[in-house]
Amino acid sequence: MSDLLSIFVESNSTSKQVLKSGLKISKDEQMQTKFSEDVISLSDLKINPAKVINQVKDTHRPILLTSRGRGVAVVQNLDDYEKDQEERAFMKAVAQGLMDVKNGRVMELAEVKTKLAID
């Protein structure tokens, strides 16, 4: 598997791109960021980028990249990022569905089957 990366850059609290690489891991393991291990300066990244990539692969935790003591980017496993995006989209759809039900925007099953051409 190749090490495909993109970087999640924060600029005035606006995310621009996302960085990912690798393997799958449980959500619980992802969320246990260890600030003593998961914060790396851009200078250290420039010196040894393979170390950062290997750390992301091995720990399955995102790494905060800093410049002059401030967080500027996050490096994260690609599969984990894609999974997070899918989960976010699913939860957004569930929330929209619940709002539709609350606001009376519902259809009978027979009507849905007709619209979708399902027997």
Side-chain angles (χ1 to χ4, degrees):
M1 176 185 292
S2 65
D3 294 320
L4 299 176
L5 298 177
S6 39
I7 296 184
F8 189 45
V9 179
E10 294 280 333
S11 172
N12 297 328
S13 301
T14 304
S15 33
K16 292 186 178 175
Q17 268 188 326
V18 181
L19 154 88
K20 302 271 191 166
S21 170
L23 306 169
K24 292 190 178 183
I25 186 166
S26 75
K27 197 68 161 171
D28 292 335
E29 291 173 292
Q30 277 182 2
M31 299 318 255
Q32 296 176 356
T33 301
K34 295 182 180 179
F35 291 104
S36 61
E37 299 173 25
D38 299 335
V39 177
I40 297 176
S41 70
L42 288 176
S43 299
D44 290 344
L45 175 67
K46 290 176 188 175
I47 293 168
N48 195 351
K51 177 185 173 192
V52 175
I53 292 169
N54 289 333
Q55 183 175 337
V56 170
K57 281 183 179 181
D58 294 343
T59 66
H60 301 283
R61 294 188 313 260
I63 295 174
L64 175 64
L65 299 177
T66 62
S67 176
R68 298 181 180 166
R70 301 193 94 143
V72 294
V74 173
V75 177
Q76 185 179 10
N77 178 293
L78 182 58
D79 289 340
D80 292 338
Y81 174 76
E82 289 172 346
K83 182 180 174 191
D84 289 347
Q85 292 300 310
E86 289 172 8
E87 288 175 1
R88 187 173 292 118
F90 175 77
M91 293 305 295
K92 198 173 184 180
V94 168
Q96 181 62 53
L98 292 172
M99 291 299 295
D100 287 345
V101 169
K102 182 179 178 181
N103 293 320
R105 292 186 298 263
V106 296
M107 297 174 120
E108 294 295 325
L109 181 58
E111 187 180 356
V112 172
K113 285 183 174 183
T114 302
K115 280 187 171 232
L116 297 176
I118 299 173
D119 293 331

